[in-house]
Amino acid sequence: MVGSKDLRTPVVVTLRTLAVAACYYVSAQLGLLRELVVEGAVVTPIWPPTGVSVACLLLLGLRCWPGIALGAFFVILSLTSLSPSALCVLAGNTAAPVAGYLLLRRAGFRTDLARLRDGLALVFLGAFTAMLIAATTGAGTLLVTDRIEQSGFWAVWLAWWVGDAMGVLIVTPVLLLLSRVRLPLPLSRWKEALGLAVIACCLVPLAAHSDVSLLFLVYPLLIWAALRFQLAGSLLCALFASVMTTVAATDRVGPFERLSRVEVMMKLQAFNGAMALTALILSAVITEQIHTRRSVERACQELVEVLEHLTAGEAADGRAPLEDRGPGRRE
């Protein structure tokens, strides 16, 4: 029995490592479908592997980091030949999610994202702070190897950092949410959910491809989704809006048509960042308030039950309730 368990453990570890690497590689290929050129360097507006990596670390623990490194290794091999500079990028892409996981764990992060502090920790520790490592390593490597000019370093660094951070802000919460889904799904308010989905599928592509700047129309949908469906609604709505806007930006259509490459990157990243922050923090605040209200309701219900037991106990002892006693009667 012990021997079979010992044999099974390496197999489980190997399968888990390969699964994480496969998820990393597939998400990277999806991210590479849409690219922007900034100062001669090719960057992605949203880099999904960072979100996949942080989610895997939060769900599986630190032991899955070899899968992240293996996935990053295969992605680099699909783009360029193996070299010392490629190994530096690989190290940065592996270290950044691990640092984000350690920071979130130190902050007491909970994967249900039911507290405001969890949303803020994911934004400022998991995304903004940890992804500095990957951006600095990647842009610095390009500068040292003379692939970018010194004058374009900060533009490339900013695009790299924001793309990695957007992967954490948009992809990680969705994966954490999907990990908690249990079948069968509750069908309450399904008509409203269907109506929201239909409106989003019509309005978001229109706003993303219209020559008139209508991107602000996405925010009422986010607020509606957060108020009525909390994380599930707002995160899925934000993901869909981000994908549609990224497609429009990389195709240089709609509000991105007459902009330069740097302006396209700045406008797209500003919109994606503001939208992800709105969806994540607003839904976290609403979820926390709902949980607080339910806790208060449970406490009130327990207090009522205690009072009922006390009243029933007094009646069993032969004592009249206080309201049935005469004003001059004392015991």
Side-chain angles (χ1 to χ4, degrees):
M1 178 111 179
V2 175
S4 62
K5 185 181 294 186
D6 292 340
L7 290 175
R8 188 165 58 248
T9 300
V11 174
V12 171
V13 172
T14 302
L15 292 177
R16 182 175 58 235
T17 301
L18 294 177
V20 172
C23 292
Y24 188 104
Y25 183 84
V26 171
S27 63
Q29 298 304 316
L30 291 176
L32 291 171
L33 293 177
R34 295 291 169 174
E35 301 174 344
L36 290 174
V37 179
V38 178
E39 299 294 335
V42 178
V43 297
T44 55
I46 302 174
W47 187 236
T50 57
V52 172
S53 300
V54 174
C56 289
L57 288 167
L58 290 172
L59 296 174
L60 302 177
L62 192 59
R63 59 183 179 273
C64 73
W65 74 265
I68 298 173
L70 184 62
F73 175 77
F74 284 118
V75 171
I76 291 175
L77 283 184
S78 67
L79 298 175
T80 184
S81 59
L82 194 61
S83 63
S85 60
L87 294 178
C88 291
V89 175
L90 187 152
N93 289 347
T94 305
V98 172
Y101 164 74
L102 295 176
L103 289 173
L104 291 173
R105 184 179 177 183
R106 184 68 178 266
F109 179 81
R110 290 186 350 199
T111 56
D112 57 1
L113 291 170
R115 304 175 300 175
L116 177 60
R117 60 178 294 184
D118 297 325
L120 294 175
L122 185 63
V123 171
F124 292 102
L125 297 180
F128 290 168
T129 301
M131 295 306 122
L132 293 172
I133 299 174
T136 303
T137 303
T141 300
L142 294 179
L143 179 63
V144 171
T145 56
D146 295 328
R147 296 185 181 181
I148 59 173
E149 300 293 335
Q150 187 173 359
S151 58
F153 170 80
W154 289 111
V156 174
W157 180 90
L158 180 62
W160 197 308
W161 175 63
V162 175
D164 285 356
M166 288 303 102
V168 177
L169 291 180
I170 295 176
V171 177
T172 298
V174 174
L175 295 179
L176 295 179
L177 178 67
L178 292 177
S179 69
R180 302 178 63 85
V181 171
R182 297 294 181 268
L183 298 176
L185 296 175
L187 297 179
S188 60
R189 298 203 305 269
W190 66 270
K191 292 182 180 179
E192 183 180 2
L194 181 60
L196 176 61
V198 171
I199 294 174
C201 290
C202 296
L203 185 60
V204 173
L206 175 64
H209 291 79
S210 174
D211 293 334
V212 183
S213 185
L214 298 177
L215 293 177
F216 63 90
L217 294 178
V218 175
Y219 289 97
L221 290 177
L222 287 179
I223 296 172
W224 178 12
L227 287 173
R228 300 296 292 168
F229 304 99
Q230 287 79 57
L231 284 168
S234 63
L235 293 179
L236 292 177
C237 186
L239 177 63
F240 176 68
S242 178
V243 171
M244 291 292 100
T245 309
T246 301
V247 170
T250 52
D251 289 340
R252 307 288 291 274
V253 298
F256 305 95
E257 183 177 1
R258 298 177 179 84
L259 302 179
S260 64
R261 292 178 177 178
V262 175
E263 290 173 340
V264 168
M265 185 269 296
M266 294 180 62
K267 185 172 184 176
L268 174 63
Q269 302 294 37
F271 173 76
N272 283 340
M275 183 181 56
L277 288 174
T278 301
L280 185 60
I281 295 179
L282 179 60
S283 57
V285 170
I286 294 172
T287 303
E288 188 176 40
Q289 290 180 346
I290 291 175
H291 288 178
T292 302
R293 186 188 65 188
R294 290 175 179 173
S295 299
V296 172
E297 291 175 351
R298 283 196 299 267
C300 292
Q301 182 63 31
E302 292 174 359
L303 181 59
V304 170
E305 293 175 357
V306 170
L307 292 176
E308 290 177 351
H309 286 305
L310 291 176
T311 304
E314 289 181 358
D317 292 340
R319 298 180 181 180
L322 292 176
E323 61 270 13
D324 294 337
R325 299 176 187 175
R329 182 178 176 180
R330 296 189 180 183
E331 297 183 0

